[in-house]
Amino acid sequence: MVSAAWLAASLASALAVAGGAQGQEAGAPAVPEGAVESARRARDERWEAFPVFVWFHGGPPPGPRPFATLRAAGLGGCNVEASDDGAAAYAAGLDVYIDHLAGKGDLYLRPPVFERDRAALADDPRHHRPQRPSGLCDDALAERLRARVDAGLERHAAHAPLGYVLDDELSVTRGVNPMDYCFAPATLAAFRAWLAERHGPIAALNAAWGSRFASYAELLPPTTGEAREAADDVALERLNFAAWSAHREFMGVALARRLVDLAARATARDRDAPIGFTGGSFPSAFGGFDWGLLAPALSLHEPYETGAAPELVHSLAEPTARIVSTLFVPDAPRPGWQPRELLTRIARGDDGVVAWSSGPLLLRGEGEADGAALTEAGRELARFVALGRELRAQQRGSTPAPPRVLIAVSQAAARAGWMVDSWEDGRTWRNRLTSWESDRSSTATAREGWVELLLALGLPWRFFDERAGLPAEALAAPGETLVVLSEAFAIGEPLLAELERWVAAGGALLGDAHAALFDESLRGRDGGALARLFGVEREMGRDLDDLEESVAADAKRREPLLLTPAEGEALSARLGTQRTALGFERRLASGRTLYLDARVGGCVRGPPDEARAALHATAAALRGWIEGARAGGVARLDGAAIGRVHLRERQREGRREWTAVPAPALDRPLEFELALPTARSLEVVPLGEAAGRVVEDGRRGVVAVRLAPAGAVRIVEPAAASSGKSGRD
């Protein structure tokens, strides 16, 4: 198991080797030392203003005229290549981040390079052992990347840019495309050393893997094709993917080590500068996106939206980290286009946005007219940014409410989930590319479903890495916190035992499907683990073909979520557990458990109307159970608002406040009622195209809201008692 201790040791090691890049590169713009310190002090202020970094691609080229147009509209930020001096952007006073500090083509694999290995994999999917062209454990690569980082820092650090991006869309592979990188000699040597540190004598590793290696020197992990072939017709409880899983896990470790080393090198030269990468993806068996390692180690993040990756990063990153997202502007925006996703991203706590790209935002023209004005889409983006900044300013001084729901996330479960999800693909598993996986990954879509459910219920939550154990919030108040095991295919014994004790002490535990099929090493479990957690028996002797049939049948159904069980008749209730419309319910002293045996990813997949119906049905069904489990009151949104409005809770000096913002699905004004779990008076603060008032009919905490895509409503418990103010109606 990768531990927090390992991460701390890696950071310390990286800091030790990040020898100082001193002096100033010949030809770099000279900046007086006093100006450098002033720029560094101003960096936090510029981040607080929510910078918009326009990525120049197509349309007018970057230069003084487009820069002035963007800055005047409140969109005055851009990326500057590490290899450029950035003089025009600095002279224009733009918010700048430095792009490709470690270059392009090493941490990011270019398509032709990857496609060569993909063709070889198609020829021999069982035995192909690819060597990553730029091996993450190669000393030559390390020195090459460090040299680029040093050169970029010499060129730009004196200007105190808002952040440094090591690379864009970096990955062990490309995105989360399946490829068994890496079998290069240097990688295998590092992998064997890592295994020896973890297991000790080779006999201990053989016992865990079911292998017969005489020494670590001869150890060779299986390919994905070999691991799948060995699992054919094997009962679930006797499966052993430990060797394959360890190789995939180590590649995430290797990526994290390389990035930690480079990040430490950057911060040694430009202290307190945010450093990280853009274009991150969701956890999967491939790619190396282990956010439990990456999020706390880096200080600048831009994960793509799929698989609730931004929510993962917000949960796992340090509080001082800067988190941005990419807003994709269509190349040819239709009339009336709006960046409807912007407000909900600001409400979740994003610090800025990368607007891709400049082409649709700036008008073309001849000479001085080129880039001198915004397009209709550019003006609309500027309008939403101004509204978002107003919302951000009003939220300043408040903090996210303490989480009442804690959702476990596990890299081991992501690897196991990939193997189960891909079983139906047979020999075509190699075609399960990122775009396909984004829509069909059980673990990724389940996270998206839980996020949508909790936004509909207005419950504050966060994700936690299962390797760190139960968070302090759960341990301190078992009766006030709900823990969710979401598509928890793999659960380690430490967390399993801790959850048993926690439920016995009064905790509430909820699982949604496929829980505890494997341990943390991806060795199959018998039914004991599920019985310990939820009082549910799982039929033994079934194999991956049997499991795949139930998963595929579930995916084809269009019924409300809770009528589509994931394992169906393979599960049965133990004595003391009741089968209800929700699933399997059990009480243990003061604690409670619920096993849904349902795939929560159904809340966000399928036709929009059916997905919202499933979301509404699930939210309504879970609301009563959550309130009964003593996790406190739960907000109630009108059915029409479910899936169209996102509700988040914050706090300020002991007072609660809620923010209702449009979800991307809201495309027209909507009127709805919102019932909040508070007995205190309320004040309604509308922003933009919104209105609201406290309902004066004897019901406590009920607010009537009218919300358009370019609007938001804050509902706050005022500092002094009042009868409740209404916003414009």
Side-chain angles (χ1 to χ4, degrees), residues 66 100 143 166 181 191 229 233 279 285 314 317 322 328 397 420 444 502 504 517-518 532 558 589 631 647 660 710:
H100 304 125
E143 291 307 315
L166 293 169
Y181 293 130
F191 177 51
E229 184 175 285
D233 292 327
H314 274 284
R322 297 299 182 179
F328 291 96
V420 172
W502 180 74
L517 282 168
F518 301 91
R532 287 164 61 188
R558 294 295 188 191
L647 183 65

Side-chain angles (χ1 to χ4, degrees), residues 285-604:
F286 303 91
F289 296 102
D290 185 344
W291 290 111
L293 296 181
L294 297 172
L298 302 174
S299 51
L300 176 60
H301 304 281
E302 189 268 310
Y304 289 148
E305 296 297 312
T306 304
E311 302 285 357
L312 279 178
V313 174
H314 274 284
S315 295
L316 300 174
E318 293 296 318
T320 54
R322 297 299 182 179
I323 302 172
V324 302
S325 59
T326 293
L327 193 151
F328 291 96
V329 184
D331 289 337
R334 68 184 186 281
W337 172 83
Q338 294 177 317
R340 297 199 300 263
E341 59 269 60
L342 186 63
L343 293 180
T344 193
R345 295 182 187 182
I346 290 175
R348 78 183 174 197
D350 284 16
D351 296 294
V353 68
V354 178
W356 174 276
S357 63
S358 61
L361 300 177
L362 291 164
L363 284 172
R364 297 305 312 253
E366 296 294 332
E368 290 295 310
D370 199 23
L374 294 178
T375 63
E376 179 185 346
R379 294 191 298 273
E380 196 67 359
L381 176 60
R383 182 169 76 100
F384 271 73
V385 167
L387 178 61
R389 285 175 174 150
E390 184 180 355
L391 173 61
R392 185 176 170 90
Q394 290 195 13
Q395 289 185 337
R396 192 168 294 130
S398 66
T399 58
R404 291 164 55 199
V405 179
L406 296 161
I407 308 173
V409 62
S410 161
Q411 278 298 118
R415 291 189 290 273
W418 183 91
M419 190 62 80
V420 172
D421 291 340
S422 67
W423 198 252
E424 66 173 327
D425 300 329
R427 287 174 58 86
T428 66
W429 59 266
R430 64 186 183 276
N431 296 326
R432 201 175 179 92
L433 303 181
T434 303
S435 56
W436 181 272
E437 188 71 8
S438 298
D439 287 337
R440 292 164 177 83
S441 164
S442 290
T443 53
T445 57
R447 280 192 302 274
E448 292 176 5
W450 275 107
V451 166
E452 287 296 325
L453 274 171
L454 294 170
L455 287 171
L457 295 170
L459 284 170
W461 83 93
R462 74 175 176 88
F463 292 97
F464 71 96
D465 190 322
E466 68 125 348
R467 293 168 293 192
L470 282 177
E473 299 97 326
L475 296 174
E480 299 175 12
T481 311
L482 172 66
V483 170
V484 173
L485 299 179
S486 173
E487 291 281 0
F489 287 90
I491 300 177
E493 181 59 34
L495 180 61
L496 190 68
E498 191 173 28
L499 284 170
E500 282 188 285
R501 295 190 296 270
W502 180 74
V503 170
L509 177 66
L510 193 155
D512 60 13
H514 302 124
L517 282 168
F518 301 91
D519 68 9
E520 68 270 39
S521 298
L522 262 59
R523 294 172 295 198
R525 287 186 177 277
D526 61 23
L530 193 63
R532 287 164 61 188
L533 289 175
F534 296 104
V536 176
E537 295 277 7
R538 177 178 279 130
E539 179 184 339
M540 296 295 98
R542 300 166 71 241
D543 62 14
L544 283 168
D545 287 324
D546 298 320
L547 187 61
E548 181 269 321
E549 287 178 7
S550 61
V551 170
D554 172 35
K556 293 175 182 175
R557 291 188 173 97
R558 294 295 188 191
E559 299 146 345
L561 175 67
L562 293 176
L563 300 179
T564 58
E567 296 184 69
E569 299 307 315
L571 302 179
S572 58
R574 270 191 168 190
L575 184 65
T577 301
Q578 290 186 318
R579 184 111 195 211
T580 69
L582 277 173
F584 298 89
E585 298 190 56
R586 181 176 64 156
R587 291 179 180 270
L588 284 176
S590 56
R592 296 182 67 177
T593 66
L594 170 62
Y595 191 58
L596 292 177
D597 183 32
R599 309 188 74 209
V600 174
C603 287
V604 290

Side-chain angles (χ1 to χ4, degrees), residues 673-725:
E673 281 194 350
L674 169 62
L676 297 171
T678 178
R680 298 182 62 174
S681 61
L682 295 172
E683 179 179 347
V684 181
V685 184
L687 290 85
E689 297 173 6
R693 60 180 177 81
V694 176
V695 175
E696 304 286 356
D697 63 358
R699 293 178 292 167
R700 301 290 291 179
V702 178
V703 177
V705 175
R706 186 179 189 276
L707 187 64
V713 172
R714 293 175 58 245
I715 305 107
V716 303
E717 295 177 339
S722 73
S723 58
K725 293 183 180 179

Side-chain angles (χ1 to χ4, degrees), residues 50-64:
F50 193 81
V52 178
F53 304 102
V54 176
W55 220 98
F56 273 81
H57 174 76

